[in-house]
Amino acid sequence: MASFQNMAAFVAVAEQGSFSQAGRELRVSTAVVSARIAKLEADIGVRLLNRTTRQVSLTEEARGYYQDCKDILQQVEQAEAALSSRQNNPSGSLKIAVPVVFGRRYVAPLLPGFVGRYPDIDIRLHLADSFVDILKEGMDVAIRIASLRDSTLMARKLADSPRVICAAPSYLDRFGTPQVPADLLQHQCLLLRFPGSVQFQWRFQENGNRITLPVQGRLDSNNGDVIRDWALAGHGICMKSRWEVARELASGELVELLPETPPLPVGVYALYSPAATLPPRIRLFIDYLVEAFKPGIG
C-alpha cells in the first residue's frame, strides 16, 4: 500500500515540475523525493513520471492518480486538523500570500510572534503584488487590499486602508495642481496594473455622490514601490494607501492632493478557502491578524 509521504512527494513533483522544487516545498532533499517516488512506483506497479534532463511530466496513467492522491491527502489533512483542534495543538504548514510592501511592513513582523505562540506551525510567506489564485497555487490565506468583488472564497476584514492622491512638488510646478477630481483626467496618472486590477479607475466621493474616473498615464507597473518612486521623481500623480506614503507626505517629498474629496478607502482582507472544516492553523492565524490590526493601519 502506498504511504501518504510517498503520495505527498508525487503530488509535489507533479505541481512543481521538478524534484528539486518539490524537495524545497516539502523541506527534504532531492534524493529523498526521488526515493519516495521510486518506492511509490514500485508499490503500485505503474510508472508515474516521465523524466528528462530538462523537465518532469506525468505519464498518461498518472493523471487521474494525481487527483486521487491530492484528494486523499486533503482528507488526511482535514482529519488531522480536526484531531489537532480537539487536542488544542495546531500544527502543519501555513502558506500565506501577501502584497510585497504591506507584507514586509505589516505582516512579516507579526509572524515570529505567531509561531512562538504555536511552535508546531511552519510559516511559508509568499510576497507578490500580482494576483494570486490561492486555490490553484495551494495557498492557505491571501491578504488583499482591495474593494472585493463576488468570490467563491471566504473573506474576513482586518482593517480599513484610507487612500490618498499625491504628487511631487516638481510635477505640480510644471503641470499645475488639480482642484477637483475630474482635473485628474488632464494629468499623467501613475497606474498600478495587474490581472484583475481596477486601480486605473479611481473612485471618489464628491458632493455626496460616488464618481469613477478612467484616469490615464504613460507609465504603469505591477509594483507599488515603483509607482511611489515615479511619483517622487516627478513623473506623475499616484493614488496610494496613506500608510505607504505617510513618511513622504510628512517630509514634503509628496504633496496630498484633493484632501476635501479623497479617493474611497479600501479594506484589508484575509481570504481563504470555504472548506467545511477550516484547519485550526488557518482559523488561529486569521484571529491573530484581526487582533493585531485592531488599532488600525498607520
Side-chain angles (χ1 to χ4, degrees):
M1 180 180 293
S3 77
F4 295 133
Q5 269 194 339
N6 297 344
M7 284 185 181
F10 166 60
V11 168
V13 171
E15 294 180 345
Q16 300 297 324
S18 81
F19 282 72
S20 58
Q21 290 283 3
R24 281 190 282 272
E25 178 71 14
L26 298 172
R27 297 187 178 181
V28 298
S29 69
T30 303
V32 168
V33 173
S34 181
R36 289 178 181 176
I37 296 295
K39 182 66 168 60
L40 181 61
E41 290 177 326
D43 287 342
I44 64 176
V46 175
R47 184 167 62 88
L48 298 172
L49 300 171
N50 294 313
R51 305 166 176 84
T52 70
T53 56
R54 293 178 177 270
Q55 64 179 6
V56 177
S57 62
L58 295 179
T59 63
E60 190 63 33
E61 295 81 2
R63 297 186 187 281
Y65 185 65
Y66 158 72
Q67 189 59 52
D68 290 341
C69 286
K70 190 167 184 178
D71 292 342
I72 290 169
L73 292 170
Q74 287 176 343
Q75 291 174 8
V76 170
E77 182 178 19
Q78 288 177 0
E80 290 179 343
L83 178 61
S84 177
S85 179
R86 289 192 293 270
Q87 295 177 330
N88 196 29
N89 183 31
S91 62
S93 293
L94 186 63
K95 301 177 184 177
I96 310 160
V98 191
V100 175
V101 178
F102 187 80
R104 292 180 62 183
R105 190 175 301 184
Y106 288 99
V107 178
L110 297 173
L111 299 183
F114 181 75
V115 297
R117 184 180 298 182
Y118 304 106
D120 291 328
I121 296 178
D122 297 326
I123 296 291
R124 300 181 186 179
L125 181 63
H126 176 79
L127 298 178
D129 284 330
S130 57
F131 176 83
V132 175
D133 185 327
I134 68 172
L135 298 180
K136 183 178 179 180
E137 300 189 33
M139 295 291 167
D140 294 306
V141 180
I143 307 300
R144 299 228 177 110
I145 306 172
S147 299
L148 292 185
R149 294 172 290 177
D150 290 340
S151 172
T152 58
L153 298 173
M154 301 297 290
R156 188 168 176 187
K157 191 172 184 179
L158 304 176
D160 285 313
S161 181
R163 295 191 289 184
V164 61
I165 302 296
C166 55
S170 59
Y171 176 88
L172 301 175
D173 289 343
R174 284 179 295 160
F175 300 104
T177 301
Q179 301 301 311
V180 295
D183 290 347
L184 294 170
L185 298 175
Q186 310 304 318
H187 283 267
Q188 288 297 316
C189 294
L190 304 169
L191 309 175
L192 182 64
R193 190 184 300 266
F194 51 84
S197 170
V198 293
Q199 295 296 96
F200 46 86
Q201 295 180 340
W202 292 358
R203 294 176 170 82
F204 298 82
Q205 187 93 18
E206 186 177 33
N207 299 324
N209 299 313
R210 290 191 175 191
I211 61 172
T212 299
L213 296 176
V215 295
Q216 298 182 31
R218 291 190 295 269
L219 295 172
D220 69 65
S221 174
N222 68 342
N223 183 274
D225 279 343
V226 170
I227 300 294
R228 184 202 59 208
D229 291 345
W230 280 339
L232 287 168
H235 296 308
I237 296 174
C238 68
M239 177 173 66
K240 303 290 287 180
S241 291
R242 185 174 289 275
W243 57 264
E244 289 186 82
V245 291
R247 182 170 51 193
E248 290 80 5
L249 292 172
S251 69
E253 295 173 275
L254 292 175
V255 176
E256 180 176 359
L257 308 176
L258 307 172
E260 300 301 319
T261 54
L264 294 177
V266 290
V268 181
Y269 295 91
L271 273 65
Y272 53 96
S273 172
T277 303
L278 189 65
R281 68 182 187 281
I282 299 177
R283 174 178 53 80
L284 290 169
F285 178 66
I286 294 174
D287 288 345
Y288 183 79
L289 291 181
V290 169
E291 187 66 27
F293 287 121
K294 269 187 179 178
I297 298 173

